[in-house]
């Protein structure tokens, strides 16, 4: 029994010594806090897609009308009503896709969009003429007689855009991490519908009408700029302005009747199709 007691005491002494040595090798516990996690900086690079909605309006543009005939109405008895212009604003809405690449604080990108539109520009005018129409009446007819005739001449030229699209480059600057200020410009295209109506009506009951219309896809250019803000890592909201020039469109009005003489008369119109668009867009970054 005495041997077992001596062995037990030795084992306890060894265990205590080993525990002390192991504890001495442990590093001193640090009570300092771990550094806080820092979110990575926001970057504009990547693909995105979105929708836009806004308004558009014509800027007027040049409108010319012409004919292959020369008026024979005397200038002394013609009352001319000033030509009136009416530029109708309308709603635009569509979708967009694009890609951005950020280099330091500069963002380069390319974007395409396609939009429906309801934009129209009209120009109208009228001329009132009073003139005498006479003829010789023989055999008791009293000789030369004149009849006073009043003629009203009206025309209207209208240009309408139902849809348009753009393919543009973008270059922007990032003054703050989630704010982008950019300029944009490139190709624009759209369908332009042009029509002209020219009529004449006389106090004798005679009336004549010339009509013409055309519809074609015009190609031009666009330029503008905007502000875009990323309110989450994936969603951005922007305000944007674009100026669009789709070039010149025209059409010719032909006589709506069977008179061979009047059928030779043509009325032409030519219009500049330029308009502005102000819109907001919501995009998702992939």
């Amino acid at each position: 029994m005495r041997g077992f007691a001596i062995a037990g005491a030795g084992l306890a002494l060894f265990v205590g010594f080993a525990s002390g040595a192991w504890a001495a090798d442990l590093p001193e516990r640090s009570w300092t806090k771990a550094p806080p996690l820092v979110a990575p900086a926001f970057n504009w690079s990547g693909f995105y897609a979105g929708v836009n909605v806004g308004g558009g309006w014509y800027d007027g543009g040049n409108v010319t009308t012409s004919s292959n005939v020369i008026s024979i109405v005397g200038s002394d008895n013609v009352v001319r009503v000033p030509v009136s212009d009416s530029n109708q604003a309308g709603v635009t809405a569509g979708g967009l896709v694009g890609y951005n690449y950020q280099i330091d604080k500069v963002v380069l990108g390319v974007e395409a969009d396609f939009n429906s539109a309801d934009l129209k520009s009209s120009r109208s005018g009228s001329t009132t003429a009073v003139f005498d129409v006479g003829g010789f009446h023989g055999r008791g007819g009293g000789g030369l007689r004149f009849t006073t005739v009043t003629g009203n001449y009206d025309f209207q030229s209208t240009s309408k855009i139902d849809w348009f699209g753009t393919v543009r480059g973008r270059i922007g600057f990032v003054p703050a991490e989630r704010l982008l200020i950019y300029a944009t410009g490139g190709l624009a295209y759209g369908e332009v519908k042009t029509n002209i109506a020219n009529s004449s009506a006389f106090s004798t009951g005679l009336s004549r009408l010339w009509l013409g219309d055309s519809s074609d896809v015009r190609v031009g250019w666009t330029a503008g700029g905007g502000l875009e803000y990323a309110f989450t890592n994936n969603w951005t909201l922007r305000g944007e302005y674009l100026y669009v020039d789709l070039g010149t469109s025209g059409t010719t009005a032909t006589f709506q009747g069977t008179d061979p003489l009047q059928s030779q008369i043509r009325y032409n119109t030519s219009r500049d199709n330029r308009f502005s668009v102000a819109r907001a867009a919501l995009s998702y970054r992939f």
Side-chain angles (χ1 to χ4, degrees), residues 134-191:
F136 183 79
H137 298 265
R139 292 194 175 185
L144 189 61
R145 292 183 180 179
F146 291 93
T147 302
T148 300
V149 177
T150 301
N152 296 312
Y153 304 85
D154 300 288
F155 82 90
Q156 182 176 37
S157 172
T158 302
S159 180
K160 191 174 186 298
I161 296 176
D162 289 330
W163 60 264
F164 73 96
T166 71
V167 179
R168 295 170 283 109
R170 297 207 309 168
I171 181 169
F173 174 71
V174 182
E177 186 175 296
R178 293 177 176 269
L179 179 63
L180 175 64
I181 303 173
Y182 65 90
T184 184
L187 176 75
Y189 60 96
E191 183 184 33

Side-chain angles (χ1 to χ4, degrees), residues 25-164:
D25 289 339
L26 288 176
E28 183 180 354
R29 181 186 291 255
S30 174
W31 296 98
T32 59
K33 294 183 178 180
L37 296 177
V38 178
F42 180 82
N43 191 286
W44 287 90
S45 297
F47 290 95
Y48 61 90
V51 293
N52 68 75
V53 63
W57 62 95
Y58 267 89
D59 75 343
N62 294 321
V63 182
T64 59
T65 57
S66 62
S67 176
N68 62 343
V69 297
I70 301 175
S71 174
I72 60 174
V73 178
S75 60
D76 292 339
N77 53 8
V78 174
V79 178
R80 298 189 180 277
V81 177
V83 171
S84 63
D85 291 294
S86 174
N87 298 314
Q88 175 182 311
V91 175
T92 70
L96 59 93
V97 294
Y99 179 79
N100 288 326
Y101 184 72
Q102 183 171 348
I103 307 172
D104 194 16
K105 289 186 175 295
V106 176
V107 175
L108 304 176
V110 61
E111 183 174 293
D113 62 64
F114 186 84
N115 315 274
S116 64
D118 182 21
L119 309 177
K120 185 168 68 174
S121 177
S122 298
R123 189 183 194 193
S124 60
S126 63
T127 299
T128 299
V130 179
F131 48 93
D132 294 326
V133 177
F136 183 79
H137 298 265
R139 292 194 175 185
L144 189 61
R145 292 183 180 179
F146 291 93
T147 302
T148 300
V149 177
T150 301
N152 296 312
Y153 304 85
D154 300 288
F155 82 90
Q156 182 176 37
S157 172
T158 302
S159 180
K160 191 174 186 298
I161 296 176
D162 289 330
W163 60 264
F164 73 96

Side-chain angles (χ1 to χ4, degrees), residues 67-69 72 153 198-200 202 206-211 253-267:
S67 176
N68 62 343
V69 297
I72 60 174
Y153 304 85
N198 195 93
S199 64
S200 57
F202 303 92
L206 178 66
S207 62
R208 297 166 179 158
L209 178 64
W210 287 260
L211 295 176
T254 57
F255 181 63
Q256 304 299 294
T258 58
D259 188 316
L261 179 61
Q262 301 299 324
S263 297
Q264 297 180 38
I265 300 175
R266 299 286 188 272
Y267 292 94

Side-chain angles (χ1 to χ4, degrees), residues 225-272:
L227 295 172
E228 189 167 7
Y229 181 74
F231 57 92
T232 73
N233 286 339
N234 296 103
W235 291 98
T236 69
L237 182 65
R238 77 170 74 163
E240 183 176 70
Y241 168 81
L242 292 178
Y243 183 82
V244 183
D245 188 339
L246 294 181
T248 302
S249 64
T251 191
T252 299
T254 57
F255 181 63
Q256 304 299 294
T258 58
D259 188 316
L261 179 61
Q262 301 299 324
S263 297
Q264 297 180 38
I265 300 175
R266 299 286 188 272
Y267 292 94
N268 307 303
T269 184
S270 177
R271 303 185 59 89
D272 290 338

